[in-house]
Amino acid sequence: MLFSNDLLTGAEWNPAGTRALLQLTADIKARPGRYASTLQGKFIALIFEKPSLRTRVTFEVGIQSMGGSVVFLDHSQARLGERESIADVARNLERWVQGIVARVYDQKVLEELAANADIPVINALSDRFHPCQALADYFTLEEKFGSLRGFKLAYVGDGNNVCHSLIFLAARLGVHLRVATPPNYEPAAEVVAEAKRVARETRAKIELFTDPCEAVSGAQGVYTDSWTSMGFEAEEKVRNALFQPYQVNRELMACAAPKAVFLHCLPAHRGLEVTAEVLDGRQSVVLDQSENRMYVQKAILHMLF
C-alpha cells in the first residue's frame, strides 16, 4: 500500500507495499516486455540540480523502455527557486507532463514541488533521503540471499541520506541493520525513531554503534558511502581524517560473515571509504546495485502511474 501519490522519503509504503514493490521489480526485470507500454503517451520531467551518471541514465532508459518520454531540465547552474518560485515551477509542469523526477540539494524543495503539483513527484536524491537507491540495494540483496527477514546488514560511515533511506526500508523489510558512525555523524534521531516504530511490526532491528568492527561482526552485507556527500565539500579534509577508522578494507570485511557481500551506491573513492581490493573484489556487488536501479525505478513508476 502507498500512502501518497509521491515518493519523497521511502516511508510512503507500508511493509506489505514495500515487499510488493520488490516482487514487481523482479517481474519487470524478468519480463520487461509486459511493461513496455506502462508509460505510453506520458511525459516525465527530470529536474537535476546535481551531477549524475546512474540516476539520469537509469531513469531515462527505464522511462523510454516503458513507452514514455523524458524532458530533461538541467538546474546544475541555477537551483530551483532562484529564477522562479518552486510553486510556480510545479504548477506549470503539471500542465505539460505527467510526473516529476527531481535530484536536489534540499529535501524541502521536493516537498514544495509535491505540495504544489497533483502529478507524482519522485525523489532521485536529496540531502535527507535517497529512496530509489535503498530500494535497489535491498532488491539486490533479496536476489542474492532470498528473504530479507532477519538479514544482517552493516552500514559504516556517514549517517547521511542513503543511510536514512536504508533505515526506513530496513524497518519495513524486517532487516537487522547496524549503523556505525563517528560521534556527531549519526543518522537523524527522528528517522531512527520512526523506523523503530515500524520495526515493532516487522521484527526488524535498527542499532547504532560507533565501533565499526562491532557493527560489522557477523554481518551478511557491509555497506558504505562517500564520507563527503555533495554539498559538504568544504568539510572534506576534516571528514577524511575523522572517518579514516571507518574505511571498509580487508581487515574490516574479515569481521563479517564468511560469504558477506560489499555494497556501495557509487561513485566510490578508492583509498578513502573503501579500498580498491574490496570495491573491485569478489565480494563486491556494486555493479548489480547499479544495474538494479533501473528495474526498481521502473517498478516505482509502474506503481505511481
Side-chain angles (χ1 to χ4, degrees), residues 135-173:
L135 285 164
D137 300 333
Y138 285 123
F139 176 71
T140 301
L141 291 172
E142 192 168 75
E143 272 191 320
K144 297 188 179 301
F145 292 92
S147 173
L148 294 176
R149 283 194 182 278
F151 184 87
K152 296 177 181 176
L153 176 65
Y155 175 93
V156 179
D158 188 18
N160 60 12
N161 49 1
V162 172
C163 181
H164 286 163
S165 288
L166 287 171
I167 290 172
F168 269 164
L169 290 161
R172 283 155 178 78
L173 292 167

Side-chain angles (χ1 to χ4, degrees), residues 141 144-145 151 220-222 253 259-263 283 285:
L141 291 172
K144 297 188 179 301
F145 292 92
F151 184 87
Q220 297 164 277
V222 180
M253 287 299 293
K259 296 183 179 179
V261 295
F262 170 74
L263 302 98
Q283 293 172 283
V285 295

Side-chain angles (χ1 to χ4, degrees), residues 190-212:
E190 62 272 22
V191 171
V192 176
E194 166 60 14
K196 287 189 174 182
R197 183 189 66 77
V198 176
R200 287 195 288 272
E201 173 187 344
T202 63
R203 298 185 179 180
K205 288 183 181 177
I206 312 296
E207 299 176 287
L208 304 186
F209 299 83
T210 55
D211 182 347

Side-chain angles (χ1 to χ4, degrees), residues 212-219 222 249-258 260:
C213 296
E214 188 176 2
V216 169
S217 178
V222 180
N249 49 37
R250 182 171 54 185
E251 291 74 23
L252 188 61
M253 287 299 293
C255 299

Side-chain angles (χ1 to χ4, degrees), residues 68-134:
S69 300
V70 172
V71 179
F72 184 76
L73 302 175
D74 181 2
H75 273 266
S76 59
Q77 302 302 314
R79 293 191 187 182
L80 278 169
E82 289 185 0
R83 178 175 172 272
E84 188 173 6
S85 77
I86 295 168
D88 283 349
V89 170
R91 291 170 186 143
N92 277 269
L93 283 175
E94 72 174 358
R95 299 296 182 103
W96 307 317
V97 302
Q98 285 70 51
I100 298 171
V101 174
R103 181 176 173 90
V104 299
Y105 282 93
D106 190 339
Q107 177 74 17
K108 292 178 182 176
V109 171
L110 290 167
E111 294 168 358
E112 193 168 351
L113 282 171
N116 288 281
D118 288 332
I119 57 177
V121 175
I122 298 173
N123 180 355
L125 181 141
S126 75
D127 60 330
R128 292 278 289 175
F129 298 104
H130 199 356
C132 295
Q133 179 66 55

